[in-house]
Amino acid sequence: MQLRGLASTKLARPAVKLTRPAFPYDKTVRISLWVSVAVVAALFGWGAWQRRWIADDGLIVLRTVRNLLAGNGPVFNQGERVEANTSTIWTYLLYVLSWVAEPMRLEYVALAAALVLSVLGVAFLMLGTGRLYAPSLRGRQAIMLPAGALVYIAVPPARDFATSGLESGLVLAYLGLLWWMLVCWSQALRARPDSRAFIGTLAFVAGCSVLVRPELALIGGGALVMMLIAARTWRRRLLIVAAGGFLPVAYQIFRMGYYALLVPGTALAKDAAGDKWSQGWTYLLNFNGPYWLWVPVVLLVPLGVVLMLARRRPSYIRPTLAPGYGRVARAVQSPPAVVGFMLVSGLLQALYWIRQGGDFMHGRVLLAPLFCLLAPVAVIPVMIPDGKDFSRRTGYWVLGGVTALWLAVAGWSLWAANSSGMGDDATHVSYAGIVDERRFYAQATGHAHPLTAADYLDYPRMAAILVAIDNTPEGALLLPSGNYTQWDLVPMIPPGSAPGIPPDQKPQHAVFFTNLGMVGMNVGLDVKVIDQIGLANPLAAHTERLKHGRIGHDKNLFPDWVIADGPWVKWYPGVPGYLDPQWVAQAEAALQCPETRAVLNSVRAPLTLRRFVSNVLHSYAFTKYRIDRVPLFELARCGLPVPDVPPAPPRGD
């Protein structure tokens, strides 16, 4: 009644009057927490270093960074605005770090950044969980031990992708930081992190989720919604919207105008709007099978329940509440709500990826959901019975149960950390299409730790690319042949000898191959590197997704389109014998479809203000646009006539 009366008087402040309890942990708790963090960070860093590598997909990011450093813009190929990277922040972070650390190799910059961010992510996760338990541990003797954090670092894919050159380390650092900040925010009614600066920073971090990875918008957006519900004034809500939305909205406008798409090019190439539930279930079983991930779940769930029942409600002076700060707002801005939010977010992330069909890399996309689900028990307090909340006998029973469960978790972690993973199937691309990428490339290159682009020259076909380019100073298109030591060459049309080929046409080279990263980082930026699955090829990206294609590679553009789309010879004997010149001619005619020309012009025409605005206005239509990968069918779809091409003359052996 006294609080209600104070809130209704004219003297009531428009904000919560906070009291700051002794939130520093008790000495034993604090020391044990930091020791746990240091031990887990050291183990994780050491384990990740033992499995260090840079993936081909990690080299794709570095090709874009090279173009940024060269002044060509955030593109994969000069003169073609394609967003070949999923994580915007990771791309620009590497750009800044590479500029600062010059002349260090880009691969080493990516390796160091990924490793440091991965370790920081686990440290933030543990510190956030330690703070979660802190209020109930004041005045009690307890030791903080790692639990969920041990489970995460024990899973071999977690150590594989702690380096790899991909944004996995950034994702861990982001999720760990967000978790720690949300825990601080949930305790704002009994501590001080409720200032405008803190709220603005938390909103900014939450808003950046979509720029870390698009699917993380489910987490960052949810955090912003919670903050808006708990906000006590419209000024505070305006601050949250402005801080959380400015950067994502600004970059989205840039993406629409620069790349002429609503989503990253990788999302278009993989048709992220589709679903492959059965393949996703296969991917989940593939991740669970080698490590029996259900075992730590069975152990950690009862452990969490025991800790919840044994916790002591924190004692602090109830704050004076502002008018309108009701029960719903207090419930949302509370530790239980934040814990529930993180668990639900992890489940939603897992469901999202299962719906998508998972990935072709063993375990990679389920690491972030696992990280979220382990957050509330990343560390656990083992409390020494003091006889205050229940009898010492009961307390010792609780202590014994918690200790037994923790020892079981530690035992499983030791076993899983030394698991052989997928075993003999690790490097075999089966019908499911899932492989252990690190082991696959280590075996294929002959390097235990393939780190640099030069290491990938020992991958089949790679060294032959440089030989073929050196042997064709007049320019050529390189198509993969059945022989790993050579490439099929399609020569350039001589300058001025055909319509559309100017007399001053300079020699060009292009490579048509799936492994964009290792190719793109081993050739010059003047060499165009394109693929059949659409990561760096706008034509392939706008084809329909194949129903039974390998996950992540389920688009496949025929090479006929590549020949038709460039200054390459389109008739025998320039066209390889296994290709049909009629298909090439049909593809060339299909490229005249007005809608297709508009899509290609949106990323190839010079970027003027008018073009930027036009791309923004048409980005939705361009994102939805699809072509048929069979040229004859594409002509029928566009209502264009089939060109009359005489059959090729018979050739001798």
Side-chain angles (χ1 to χ4, degrees):
M1 293 298 293
Q2 183 181 3
L3 285 175
R4 186 175 302 176
L6 286 173
S8 61
T9 63
K10 295 181 179 180
L11 296 177
R13 296 171 61 87
V16 174
K17 183 179 179 181
L18 303 173
T19 58
R20 186 182 181 93
F23 240 46
Y25 313 112
D26 291 339
K27 186 175 181 179
T28 304
V29 175
R30 182 173 66 253
I31 293 175
S32 61
L33 174 61
W34 282 104
V35 169
S36 296
V37 171
V39 169
V40 171
L43 287 174
F44 190 34
W46 177 78
W49 181 254
Q50 294 297 110
R51 305 167 80 96
R52 63 193 180 278
W53 69 304
I54 297 290
D56 176 67
D57 285 39
L59 295 177
I60 292 177
V61 180
L62 298 186
R63 166 86 172 191
T64 302
V65 174
R66 280 179 67 196
N67 273 299
L68 279 167
L69 292 170
N72 299 324
V75 299
F76 191 81
N77 290 307
Q78 296 181 43
E80 199 167 61
R81 296 181 295 276
V82 174
E83 190 176 14
N85 308 327
T86 301
S87 175
T88 302
I89 292 180
W90 181 237
T91 301
Y92 286 97
L93 177 63
L94 289 183
Y95 165 62
V96 173
L97 292 176
S98 300
W99 180 76
V100 172
E102 192 179 6
M104 183 184 291
R105 289 188 65 108
L106 294 179
E107 296 94 322
Y108 296 148
V109 173
L111 178 74
L115 182 57
V116 170
L117 288 172
S118 296
V119 173
L120 279 177
V122 173
F124 272 126
L125 191 80
M126 297 175 70
L127 291 174
T129 307
R131 186 179 180 96
L132 179 71
Y133 292 119
S136 61
L137 295 178
R138 283 185 289 112
R140 303 184 72 173
Q141 291 184 333
I143 298 175
M144 301 294 282
L145 294 177
L150 276 182
V151 171
Y152 183 81
I153 69 171
V155 179
R159 284 169 281 139
D160 287 345
F161 292 102
T163 56
S164 83
L166 294 167
E167 69 280 353
S168 302
L170 175 64
V171 170
L172 293 192
Y174 174 80
L175 292 175
L177 176 63
L178 183 64
W179 165 248
W180 177 77
M181 294 187 74
L182 283 174
V183 171
C184 294
W185 172 77
S186 72
Q187 297 169 340
L189 295 183
R190 47 187 181 271
R192 287 197 186 277
D194 198 38
S195 66
R196 289 182 182 178
F198 179 85
I199 292 297
T201 303
L202 175 56
F204 177 80
V205 171
C208 286
S209 58
V210 70
L211 300 179
V212 175
R213 276 196 66 93
E215 71 276 1
L216 293 183
L218 295 172
I219 297 179
L224 289 173
V225 170
M226 291 179 67
M227 294 176 68
L228 288 172
I229 294 174
R232 296 180 295 280
T233 65
W234 284 106
R235 283 187 178 182
R236 186 60 60 89
R237 293 189 180 97
L238 182 61
L239 171 65
I240 294 169
V241 171
F246 174 76
L247 189 59
V249 171
Y251 186 80
Q252 181 62 21
I253 295 173
F254 170 78
R255 172 182 284 145
M256 294 163 66
Y258 193 80
Y259 299 110
L261 292 174
L262 294 176
V263 296
T266 52
L268 180 66
K270 299 180 181 181
D271 263 348
D275 62 80
K276 285 192 172 184
W277 286 102
S278 60
Q279 175 64 25
W281 180 249
T282 300
Y283 187 78
L284 177 63
L285 295 179
N286 176 270
F287 183 38
N288 171 74
Y291 319 114
W292 293 9
L293 289 174
W294 58 269
V295 172
V297 172
V298 170
L299 296 173
L300 289 174
V301 168
L303 187 58
V305 172
V306 170
L307 292 175
M308 183 184 67
L309 295 177
R311 71 187 180 97
R312 175 182 295 170
R313 186 175 295 275
S315 58
Y316 58 92
I317 301 173
R318 177 171 289 185
T320 302
L321 300 178
Y325 193 72
R327 199 172 291 174
V328 174
R330 290 198 300 273
V332 169
Q333 191 174 355
S334 66
V338 167
V339 170
F341 167 75
M342 204 64 176
L343 292 176
V344 171
S345 295
L347 290 174
L348 288 177
Q349 289 287 304
L351 285 174
Y352 170 84
W353 283 113
I354 292 172
R355 176 184 179 274
Q356 288 295 105
D359 191 39
F360 61 94
M361 301 185 192
H362 170 63
R364 180 176 78 104
V365 296
L366 292 180
L367 291 175
L370 178 65
F371 196 71
C372 293
L373 292 172
L374 293 173
V377 288
V379 293
I380 61 168
V382 177
M383 290 168 282
I384 308 300
D386 55 10
K388 293 181 179 179
D389 298 294
F390 31 73
S391 66
R392 288 187 177 273
R393 181 177 181 180
T394 303
Y396 281 115
W397 275 106
V398 173
L399 174 62
V402 169
T403 303
L405 290 171
W406 182 83
L407 289 174
V409 169
W412 175 90
S413 299
L414 183 62
W415 169 80
N418 293 279
S419 168
S420 61
M422 295 178 66
D424 295 336
D425 292 332
T427 60
H428 176 62
V429 184
S430 63
Y431 179 76
I434 306 168
V435 297
D436 183 329
E437 283 280 293
R438 184 189 63 82
R439 290 176 60 183
F440 176 87
Y441 282 118
Q443 181 185 79
T445 62
H447 296 274
H449 305 288
L451 293 175
T452 67
D455 292 335
Y456 280 93
L457 287 175
D458 294 321
Y459 188 82
R461 293 193 175 96
M462 286 302 104
I465 292 178
L466 304 185
V467 175
I469 291 176
D470 287 340
N471 290 339
T472 54
E474 69 283 358
L477 167 67
L478 280 63
L479 301 177
S481 70
N483 189 333
Y484 284 174
T485 61
Q486 69 181 42
W487 287 74
D488 291 331
L489 303 177
V490 181
M492 280 188 65
I493 300 174
S497 63
I501 307 297
D504 59 347
Q505 175 78 61
K506 294 181 179 180
Q508 298 180 18
H509 285 93
V511 184
F512 183 60
F513 197 51
T514 304
N515 300 90
L516 292 172
M518 62 180 73
V519 178
M521 285 296 288
N522 276 303
V523 299
L525 294 178
D526 58 334
V527 178
K528 191 172 184 179
V529 183
I530 49 181
D531 62 321
Q532 67 266 43
I533 62 178
L535 293 176
N537 186 340
L539 273 175
H542 285 279
T543 59
E544 294 287 352
R545 188 182 193 185
L546 300 178
K547 186 175 182 181
H548 297 294
R550 183 189 178 195
I551 192 68
H553 299 72
D554 38 12
K555 291 191 175 183
N556 190 6
L557 190 74
F558 297 117
D560 311 77
W561 288 93
V562 181
I563 297 175
D565 190 36
W568 320 114
V569 172
K570 299 169 177 56
W571 50 85
Y572 285 133
V575 175
Y578 52 81
L579 299 180
D580 188 344
Q582 291 189 351
W583 274 54
V584 176
Q586 291 166 5
E588 188 176 20
L591 288 172
Q592 303 307 310
C593 181
E595 292 85 355
T596 303
R597 288 178 61 86
V599 168
L600 294 179
N601 285 336
S602 70
V603 297
R604 291 177 177 174
L607 187 64
T608 62
L609 179 59
R610 182 175 181 179
R611 170 65 58 190
F612 187 93
V613 174
S614 175
N615 285 352
V616 170
L617 296 177
H618 295 91
S619 57
Y620 175 78
F622 291 157
T623 303
K624 301 292 290 184
Y625 184 69
R626 296 292 183 273
I627 65 173
D628 198 300
R629 56 197 289 267
V630 179
L632 185 62
F633 297 163
E634 177 63 9
L635 288 171
R637 187 190 69 83
C638 287
L640 296 175
V642 179
D644 186 15
V645 180
R651 298 176 297 162
D653 294 336

